[in-house]
């Protein structure tokens, strides 16, 4: 069993985290599904009220997939990556 290396350890992050890679990430149904599950679980854990918008800071938001789920639940968010 070989441990996977992180791409950012082999070169500058901009080589691996750019608009092209973000589009691939956003178009992956697997990634979208995982982000949806994680965000819905976060909403539960944070006990965000249903029917009342909360303002959420998403640190490490990436391309904003989690923010889309927050919006679907009626919340407002701002993200930084």
């Amino acid at each position: 069993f070989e441990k996977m290396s992180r791409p950012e350890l082999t070169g500058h992050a901009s080589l691996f985290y750019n608009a092209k890679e973000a589009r691939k990430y956003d178009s992956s149904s697997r990634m979208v599904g995982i982000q949806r599950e994680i965000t819905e679980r976060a909403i539960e854990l944070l006990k965000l009220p249903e029917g009342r918008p909360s303002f959420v800071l998403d640190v490490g938001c990436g391309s904003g997939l989690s923010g889309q789920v927050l919006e679907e639940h009626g919340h407002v968010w701002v993200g930084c990556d």
Side-chain angles (χ1 to χ4, degrees):
F1 176 66
E2 189 174 316
K3 184 179 177 182
M4 289 181 59
S5 68
R6 296 187 55 138
E8 63 270 21
L9 298 178
T10 64
H12 192 271
S14 64
L15 296 173
F16 307 100
Y17 303 108
N18 53 37
K20 178 183 174 188
E21 294 302 314
R23 280 190 301 277
K24 287 184 353 188
Y25 187 87
D26 286 349
S27 64
S28 166
S29 59
R30 179 175 171 269
M31 289 292 103
V32 171
I34 289 169
Q35 283 294 329
R36 174 169 295 284
E37 287 179 34
I38 290 170
T39 306
E40 289 178 348
R41 181 65 177 136
I43 290 169
E44 286 178 36
L45 292 171
L46 292 169
K47 299 183 191 267
L48 298 181
E50 288 186 35
R52 193 174 84 211
S54 294
F55 186 74
V56 178
L57 171 61
D58 184 354
V59 177
C61 66
S63 60
L65 290 175
S66 297
Q68 293 173 1
V69 177
L70 288 165
E71 289 176 3
E72 290 170 10
H73 285 265
H75 304 293
V76 179
W77 68 285
V78 63
C80 63
D81 200 31

